[in-house]
Amino acid sequence: FSLIIVLAALALVLPLLKERRIAVRKVTNEDLALSAVFAIAAAQARYHERHGRYGWIGDLERDGLLEGQPIEKEDGRRYVATPGYRTDMLLPHGREGAEGIANAPRGPGQPPPHPDLVARHMAIVARPLEPGVSGWRMWYLDERGDVYLNEGVVDVESALVNRLPTLQVLGAQHLASGRRLLWQKLDELSMR
């Protein structure tokens, strides 16, 4: 009888242990991605001091500012790869407006950065390679040092598409429609 109880207990505990390992891996991936975002931001600050403008990942790499960061290339643009995540650089290409500045990654079919705005603005975005599997959170950091996150649990369908934001994130953005990601400022979440 005690053997049956032990086997039943194991049948309950083993799946929970597996789920815990998966959750720990996701959180670890998210933390490593955020660390990469901060490392890229520090490199951008040094690049800006040298050149008076922000640069692409390739520019930072050529200046030797991304030592130790694993850089990969896809579709004509470089990004920093961490386990389960890719971190892209966005530079402004559009004019400043009421909704913010239009951002875009480097690559074929993308507009070139705006020469005046690239001296003042940039954004770094880390997103999971497989939303929900390698991580849920997307990280966004801008030239002001503001960090925003999208946890992917508010609008799962949009999170699974995993698009880069096309506009500068200026504050917590609420779901105006069913297809808009919700960005929340990290330090405001920490104070709750």
Side-chain angles (χ1 to χ4, degrees):
F1 180 71
S2 30
L3 181 60
I4 294 173
I5 293 175
V6 169
L7 290 175
L10 281 175
L12 292 172
V13 171
L14 289 178
L16 293 174
L17 290 175
K18 180 182 176 186
E19 288 301 315
R20 183 178 187 282
R21 279 193 313 275
I22 291 169
V24 167
R25 185 180 70 236
K26 286 180 191 178
V27 170
T28 301
N29 289 352
E30 292 171 353
D31 290 346
L32 290 171
L34 183 58
S35 292
V37 166
F38 285 128
I40 296 166
Q44 275 289 21
R46 290 190 302 275
Y47 186 87
H48 192 272
E49 286 174 9
R50 292 179 187 174
H51 302 280
R53 66 181 295 275
Y54 293 105
W56 299 109
I57 295 288
D59 298 329
L60 304 177
E61 182 183 30
R62 277 189 297 282
D63 270 24
L65 298 172
L66 290 176
E67 294 296 322
Q69 295 296 320
I71 298 172
E72 295 186 14
K73 185 177 180 180
E74 181 181 300
D75 297 330
R77 70 176 181 237
R78 295 185 185 294
Y79 63 92
V80 173
T82 56
Y85 271 75
R86 72 178 281 161
T87 303
D88 290 286
M89 179 62 52
L90 303 179
L91 293 178
H93 69 83
R95 299 184 323 170
E96 293 181 74
E99 291 188 8
I101 298 168
N103 286 322
R106 183 177 204 162
Q110 298 293 341
H114 190 281
D116 296 328
L117 294 176
V118 77
R120 296 181 288 144
H121 301 285
M122 62 89 187
I124 304 163
V125 179
R127 55 196 169 132
L129 294 173
E130 296 179 81
V133 176
S134 59
W136 275 111
R137 292 180 179 179
M138 289 177 61
W139 300 106
Y140 175 103
L141 182 138
D142 61 20
E143 73 282 346
R144 299 168 299 190
D146 291 339
V147 178
Y148 292 89
L149 70 104
N150 173 310
E151 295 185 276
V153 294
V154 175
D155 182 1
V156 175
E157 289 179 35
S158 290
L160 292 175
V161 174
N162 208 20
R163 287 191 183 109
L164 289 167
T166 56
L167 287 174
Q168 176 187 34
V169 176
L170 297 171
Q173 294 179 352
H174 300 285
L175 292 172
S177 72
R179 302 285 65 96
R180 190 169 180 190
L181 294 174
L182 175 65
W183 291 98
Q184 301 175 73
K185 196 168 182 182
L186 184 61
D187 61 353
E188 291 173 2
L189 288 173
S190 301
M191 299 179 88
R192 288 184 187 173

